[in-house]
Amino acid sequence: RIKIVNEYKVQTGQALTGSKSQPFGFTVKRDETTGRKMVVKNPEEEDILHDAINHYLTHQNKRKTLIYLHTKYHIGLSYNSLTLLFKNTMLYGAYRDNPAYCEAYISKEEFRSLDAACASLRAMLVASIRTAKDEHHRKNGLLIIAKR
């Protein structure tokens, strides 16, 4: 029963949780006409989120983006919080099966470029870790045996 209620809420654009559980840049407000709680942009964080996205797309460095946000706005987001935020489809207004769940910060194309930038950095990081492991094994005389 709860699952059906939650699916209905998502399809009608209603909030599933309260304001404290929303991603950075979003909040929950009661719609004046319907009386339902809806997810909307947080006016206090709207400019900050736009600035964070633009800074990341320009520099493609999450750590620099976090330092920039902390220096300019005194916001202490963690690396994981920023990563999850940049992966969140609510940035372009979609949630689960509802493409118009909430107001969008960026277009779907901009989200794809943001996601592609994050993915390329993830791939470089994984390759770097593998190289470091291989180098460590070579220095210490360890053999890597392939699994069958």
Side-chain angles (χ1 to χ4, degrees):
R1 179 174 173 225
I2 293 172
K3 186 177 179 181
I4 294 169
V5 169
N6 285 343
E7 287 174 5
Y8 172 77
K9 284 186 172 191
V10 169
Q11 290 305 316
T12 57
Q14 296 181 59
L16 294 178
T17 58
S19 288
K20 298 292 182 185
S21 299
Q22 297 301 319
F24 184 82
F26 294 94
T27 189
V28 175
K29 295 279 184 185
R30 189 169 296 277
D31 187 354
E32 306 269 334
T33 57
T34 62
R36 296 177 174 172
K37 292 181 180 179
M38 310 297 274
V39 177
V40 295
K41 291 179 182 179
N42 187 337
E44 297 170 2
E45 299 171 345
E46 186 173 357
D47 293 334
I48 299 169
L49 185 52
H50 278 294
D51 202 14
I53 292 167
N54 291 333
H55 191 274
Y56 180 74
L57 288 174
T58 303
H59 300 282
Q60 295 196 3
N61 188 320
K62 289 180 189 167
R63 186 173 172 276
K64 282 185 181 178
T65 303
L66 289 171
I67 292 170
Y68 172 76
L69 291 174
H70 181 69
T71 304
K72 186 170 181 181
Y73 300 107
H74 305 290
I75 292 177
L77 285 175
S78 70
Y79 187 88
N80 286 339
S81 296
L82 189 68
T83 301
L84 290 174
L85 178 64
F86 286 167
K87 287 181 180 181
N88 196 333
T89 59
M90 285 176 62
L91 286 177
Y92 67 90
Y95 183 67
R96 294 189 185 172
D97 294 332
N98 187 349
Y101 180 73
C102 61
E103 299 175 75
Y105 274 99
I106 56 177
S107 69
K108 194 168 186 173
E109 291 75 30
E110 290 172 317
F111 179 79
R112 285 185 183 137
S113 67
L114 179 67
D115 192 45
C118 290
S120 67
L121 290 175
R122 279 192 301 269
M124 287 179 5
L125 179 62
V126 168
S128 172
I129 290 170
R130 284 185 184 145
T131 304
K133 280 184 179 178
D134 291 347
E135 187 63 31
H136 173 75
H137 290 309
R138 269 189 241 117
K139 283 183 181 177
N140 294 321
L142 299 173
L143 295 174
I144 300 172
I145 300 172
K147 293 182 181 179
R148 293 183 185 200

